[in-house]
Amino acid sequence: MPDNIMSREPDSNQARTDADANRIEKARIRDAYARRTPHHDSYAAAIRPSREMIFRRHIQSNGLPSMDRLSLLEVGCGTGAEMKRMLELGVGPENLTGIELLEDRFESARAALPDACSVILGDAATVDLPDR
């Protein structure tokens, strides 16, 4: 093969470099996320009613299923606070799934939510989700 044509063969060094880069990035995200407090700040609390109103309007105006049949996935569900709000808005617990990277927050979410809600400990980029 001429020197100026790149090989299409997988490069094990490149695969190792990619795996290292993914591992480093996952650790960076985990560390940054762990430094955040699990409670919403006052700004988030102040805008919550507007967010809920916009959410409801979006559901109604886009022909999506009714709230009790809507399936939602929350990536980075933390302690489950937003999932609890979705339950309060009428989303059925069997239709709520949350993914959480940090074990302590996963445990808090699991304890705070009904058993019918699915809460998964893992990396959203690699977790295997059930079909719904």
Side-chain angles (χ1 to χ4, degrees):
M1 178 184 315
D3 291 338
N4 63 349
I5 296 178
M6 294 184 60
S7 170
R8 297 283 181 201
E9 297 293 318
D11 182 352
S12 63
N13 289 331
Q14 183 63 44
R16 197 168 334 130
T17 302
D18 291 346
D20 289 343
N22 289 339
R23 183 183 47 75
I24 290 167
E25 179 64 3
K26 184 176 176 181
R28 186 194 67 76
I29 291 169
R30 183 184 300 273
D31 291 345
Y33 190 37
R35 285 191 301 269
R36 294 175 59 193
T37 63
H39 304 289
H40 293 284
D41 60 17
S42 58
Y43 174 75
I47 66 168
R48 185 171 299 119
S50 296
R51 283 180 37 211
E52 290 175 1
M53 181 183 66
I54 291 167
F55 179 75
R56 283 183 184 273
R57 280 189 192 158
H58 178 72
I59 298 300
Q60 293 167 350
S61 68
N62 287 298
L64 296 172
S66 64
M67 293 292 273
D68 62 335
R69 295 181 329 147
L70 189 65
S71 291
L72 294 177
L73 169 66
E74 183 177 10
V75 175
C77 68
T79 60
E82 289 299 321
M83 290 177 69
K84 286 175 76 171
R85 273 188 261 303
M86 292 299 108
L87 290 169
E88 292 167 4
L89 289 172
V91 176
E94 67 282 357
N95 294 330
L96 275 177
T97 300
I99 300 173
E100 178 52 45
L101 184 63
L102 302 178
E103 189 170 356
D104 60 327
R105 294 186 188 169
F106 160 80
E107 290 171 0
S108 294
R110 183 65 280 158
L113 294 164
D115 290 342
C117 291
S118 176
V119 184
I120 301 165
L121 176 63
D123 178 354
T126 60
V127 72
D128 192 21
L129 292 172
D131 291 332
R132 286 203 183 188

